[in-house]
Amino acid sequence: MADDLLARHRAVLPSWMALYYEQPIEIASGAGVRVKDGDGNSYLDFFAGILTNMLGYGVPEINDAVAKQLASGVVHSSTLYLIRHQVELAERIAELSGIPDAKVFFTCSGTEANEAALLLATQFRRSNQVLALRNSYHGRSYAAMGITGNRGWSASSLTPVNVSYVHNGYRYRSPFGQLPDEQFNAAIADDLRDIIATTTSGDVACMIAEPIQGVGGFATPPDGFFGALEEVLDEYEIPFISDEVQTGWGRTGEHFWGYQSHGITPDILTFAKGLGNGLAIGGVVARGDLMDSLSANSISTFGGNPVSVSTAAALATLDYVRDHDLQANALKIGNQLMTGLRPLASEDSIVGDVRGKGLMIGVELVRPGGKTPNAAAAGAILEETRRRGLLIGKGGLHGNVLRIAPPLTLSEEDADEGLAILTESIAAVEGTE
């Protein structure tokens, strides 16, 4: 069955749509933090549909909220009409964002959210100059690819924005990586000031950044990193966009949003992924003056996609995160996983670095004795974990980073099980090096 589905996939879908595994699998069903493929094999899920199934699978509270909305007969009505759930969700997110006088615009994905944020900033500042970080990823649309600082995910060099790329917080491969945190942050801030002075005309529309770079391999900067950069941005009155598509909703454990580790409040915030617990929803939060800077009419036909059902699920998801204190669970279980993984990193190991916060953990693989990226080992470990019943992700600039981002509901027992499989899989691949 799987082989037939794969052949059909290849016949009618684009060749550039990536698939995991030598023999790709279909996720056919799920319950809790476990899924089954089309052949009935069971897996512990440590990637959660690229962080979208934030609560796991088959959550009654989410299913009930969706069923109740479906029972009304209204799946969708478009934003030309008042939508109660949309207003209620916007009120909740505006308050949670920490942005003063915040307004919210809902989209269908993180890509679309970042595209909308760029539109707001460039219109508000009357400039198409944008600062982005190296090794970043912000989506697959035209402008979002233009601000993506990772060649493997940027299909075109053509772009509507003029981008200057700033050093990121990827300590492991940074030329400033040996510096203590405060000096590291200062060095990147000095570089930012130089980039503005030498590669822009000064009237920059915005800087956009992920607090932790997701596709870039969960590259995690020191606390205060973006605070140091914002001091420079403030000198030029440049707005800051925090791309919280992967870091939002308490996943980092320490805070509800990734930006909160840096002592700042962004001017614009984008979100998506886990909010709908699998249903498509994204959006932008911005200061009122920024959000209202557009003079043309606009709507979002499927903003929330479909608005009524997705926003109902999103409200139920936020309630679940709060009622079960999943931010605290992300911190506790994330620390448990990091404590188990960090001893694997050594000079003689294929594990070069273990990093992250909460339930966003990156394991960077290298050739033993140095920092040469080892993408082959990442692919081999992906296969080993799958064979042993664990699903993880991979990414990074060089394709050599294991990405671990399970549902926020992960228990201590399930974390231990996944950790054991990861350790065994790494050891098995390391033995072949």
Side-chain angles (χ1 to χ4, degrees):
M1 186 193 331
D3 288 345
D4 178 60
L5 186 59
L6 176 59
R8 290 161 58 193
H9 178 284
R10 286 174 172 162
V12 296
L13 293 170
S15 61
W16 40 260
M17 281 181 61
L19 288 168
Y20 274 168
Y21 307 116
E22 293 175 4
Q23 293 298 318
I25 62 175
E26 172 196 8
I27 304 299
S29 63
V33 295
R34 298 177 189 271
V35 296
K36 287 186 177 181
D37 66 18
D39 294 323
N41 300 305
S42 181
Y43 305 93
L44 177 60
D45 187 1
F46 265 32
F47 202 39
I50 319 181
L51 291 76
T52 53
N53 299 302
M54 184 165 70
L55 310 182
Y57 303 86
V59 181
E61 289 87 342
I62 310 304
N63 293 344
D64 290 347
V66 172
K68 182 177 179 181
Q69 183 59 45
L70 291 174
S72 74
V74 179
V75 174
H76 173 66
S77 62
S78 97
T79 55
L80 289 169
Y81 304 95
L82 290 172
I83 303 167
R84 186 171 300 275
H85 284 151
Q86 187 183 63
V87 173
E88 292 172 352
L89 183 60
E91 289 171 338
R92 293 274 295 278
I93 294 174
E95 182 179 358
L96 288 167
S97 74
I99 296 174
D101 188 31
K103 292 191 174 184
V104 183
F105 177 73
F106 291 106
T107 66
C108 303
S109 68
T111 291
E112 191 186 341
N114 285 330
E115 194 84 16
L118 290 174
L119 174 63
L120 293 174
T122 54
Q123 170 66 17
F124 184 77
R125 292 279 289 174
R126 306 302 297 169
S127 166
N128 75 333
Q129 297 185 95
V130 174
L131 297 166
L133 298 192
R134 301 171 193 182
N135 195 43
S136 59
Y137 176 81
H138 297 288
R140 57 173 172 72
S141 63
Y142 195 44
M145 276 194 303
I147 56 170
T148 288
N150 185 323
R151 185 169 57 190
W153 291 92
S154 189
S156 173
S157 63
L158 303 175
T159 173
V161 288
N162 185 348
V163 186
S164 296
Y165 288 102
V166 180
H167 277 289
N168 55 29
Y170 187 7
R171 291 289 294 272
Y172 187 65
R173 296 193 180 276
S174 172
F176 308 111
Q178 77 285 357
L179 297 175
D181 287 356
E182 189 173 345
Q183 293 179 32
F184 176 86
N185 294 346
I188 305 299
D190 287 342
D191 179 69
L192 170 60
R193 186 176 283 105
D194 186 63
I195 286 173
I196 294 172
T198 60
T199 70
T200 78
S201 61
D203 57 338
V204 177
C206 63
M207 168 180 267
I208 183 167
E210 307 154 271
I212 296 175
Q213 293 184 322
V215 170
F218 292 160
T220 308
D223 288 355
F225 177 81
F226 289 106
L229 298 189
E230 189 175 58
E231 290 182 14
V232 180
L233 299 179
D234 286 348
E235 293 175 18
Y236 294 87
E237 299 182 346
I238 299 172
F240 178 67
I241 302 172
S242 186
D243 179 343
E244 299 277 353
V245 170
Q246 297 199 30
T247 49
W249 320 117
R251 178 166 284 281
T252 66
E254 294 177 352
H255 301 285
F256 197 73
W257 304 106
Y259 78 77
Q260 291 172 310
S261 292
H262 302 277
I264 63 170
T265 300
D267 302 282
I268 301 175
L269 176 157
T270 60
F271 61 84
K273 293 288 187 191
L275 177 60
N277 197 49
L279 275 76
I281 189 167
V284 184
V285 191
R287 294 192 333 246
D289 58 335
L290 272 161
M291 186 67 82
D292 291 336
S293 65
L294 303 183
S295 56
N297 290 328
S298 187
I299 62 170
S300 182
T301 302
F302 281 106
N305 188 27
V307 171
S308 299
V309 173
S310 288
T311 50
L315 282 165
T317 299
L318 284 180
D319 285 342
Y320 196 99
V321 170
R322 176 197 63 201
D323 295 345
H324 294 80
D325 199 6
L326 293 189
Q327 180 180 320
N329 192 62
L331 181 62
K332 180 181 73 172
I333 303 300
N335 286 339
Q336 177 183 344
L337 290 171
M338 295 275 274
T339 298
L341 289 168
R342 281 192 171 125
L344 301 180
S346 71
E347 281 292 323
D348 300 322
S349 170
I350 61 172
V351 177
D353 190 36
V354 176
R355 56 179 176 259
K357 284 190 175 187
L359 290 175
M360 290 185 77
I361 300 171
V363 179
E364 180 148 359
L365 304 176
V366 296
R367 298 291 178 190
K371 291 188 177 182
T372 302
N374 196 340
I381 290 170
L382 213 67
E383 297 290 346
E384 286 288 337
T385 53
R386 175 212 168 175
R387 189 169 65 82
R388 289 172 164 83
L390 178 70
L391 302 183
I392 60 174
K394 73 180 180 73
L397 183 62
H398 307 286
N400 66 320
V401 181
L402 306 179
R403 296 174 67 197
I404 300 161
L408 304 189
T409 52
L410 192 72
S411 69
E412 293 181 60
E413 294 75 19
D414 289 333
D416 281 338
E417 178 185 341
L419 183 60
I421 293 174
L422 267 169
T423 303
E424 293 167 3
S425 300
I426 291 170
V429 172
E430 195 164 42
T432 66
E433 288 288 309

